[in-house]
Amino acid sequence: MTTSGTVAFNLDVVTIAEEAFERVGKEMRSGYELKTARRSLDLLMKEWANQGINFWTIEETTIAVDAGTSELTLASDTIDILDASWRTGSGMGQNDRIMTRMSVTEWAQTANKNQTSTPSRFWVNRTVPPVVTIWPIPSQAGIFVYWKMRLIEDVGNSSRTMDVPSRFLPAMVAGLAYYLAQKTPGAEAKISFLQQEYERQFRLAAEEDRDRSSLFLVPGC
């Protein structure tokens, strides 16, 4: 038996909505039903942003920083920073110095906030957009390198696919069906089952979407 030889399966927004409505027990027939499905899908993506680290949304980003500059405004799609370093030099002379994160309490208790040197710590003020304060204030220009977790892109045009790996499609469809059942008359009896199926599918996808690097625990001195 010959297989397809392809692994490109995906669903556009309309097809995702159709599948979700069918699980609720009805067909999607009107433009309003597609509109309400798109709204629920956008809300579902915001929920996923709160679920924890979605590895496909991690991106490395850099900001060139002048000497004397300590506050950096990040892109508005930034949820949080996972790691950061201070980069100087280039090519074979490039050097990245790992920076550690401060809590708001640690930053507030920093005695000399105007100290200048090579930045070694940072504090993230999670406003919209987020603002990062690096410390000490850089005495020389450098590059702030950070790995951010960004928001999942909006639904947008209904003919497009979602900003989600295809392996998360079962969880997305199950989640949308659960959302739609909560506002579909006559679907009350299915809400509990759809919720359980959504949680099961998301758990399967989230457990697969993880860092597989080795973990080493070193006792403190």
Side-chain angles (χ1 to χ4, degrees), residues 53-55 168 171 201-210:
I53 297 176
N54 299 307
F55 277 87
F168 271 80
Q201 291 289 355
F202 186 85
R203 183 172 62 254
L204 288 173
E207 288 175 353
E208 191 281 334
D209 192 48
R210 57 187 172 85

Side-chain angles (χ1 to χ4, degrees), residues 65-139:
V65 183
D66 295 328
T69 301
S70 60
E71 288 194 355
L72 312 174
T73 301
L74 307 183
S76 58
D77 68 347
T78 305
I79 297 176
D80 204 356
I81 291 180
L82 303 179
D83 283 298
S85 61
W86 181 254
R87 177 175 296 170
T88 55
S90 61
M92 296 299 293
Q94 176 179 301
N95 181 58
D96 284 5
R97 177 176 177 176
I98 298 299
M99 301 177 69
T100 57
R101 183 168 181 157
M102 290 187 285
S103 67
V104 62
T105 301
E106 290 174 308
W107 172 242
Q109 294 176 354
T110 300
N112 186 359
K113 294 181 175 61
N114 296 318
Q115 178 181 337
T116 60
S117 185
T118 301
S120 60
R121 309 194 74 186
F122 68 96
W123 169 57
V124 182
N125 186 353
R126 296 183 64 185
T127 54
V128 181
V131 176
V132 174
T133 299
I134 57 176
W135 183 88
I137 298 173
S139 55

Side-chain angles (χ1 to χ4, degrees), residues 174-175 178 189-204:
Y178 166 55
K190 292 190 174 184
I191 291 177
S192 179
F193 167 76
L194 291 173
Q195 179 183 13
Q196 292 175 19
E197 177 62 10
Y198 165 48
E199 292 174 349
R200 185 181 75 87
Q201 291 289 355
F202 186 85
R203 183 172 62 254
L204 288 173

Side-chain angles (χ1 to χ4, degrees), residues 16 27 29 33 62-63 81-82 120 129 142 152 169 173-174 191 197 202 212:
I16 291 171
E27 293 183 5
R29 295 182 177 276
E33 288 173 333
T62 60
I63 300 177
I81 291 180
L82 303 179
S120 60
I152 301 170
L169 284 175
V173 172
I191 291 177
E197 177 62 10
F202 186 85
R212 288 176 169 77

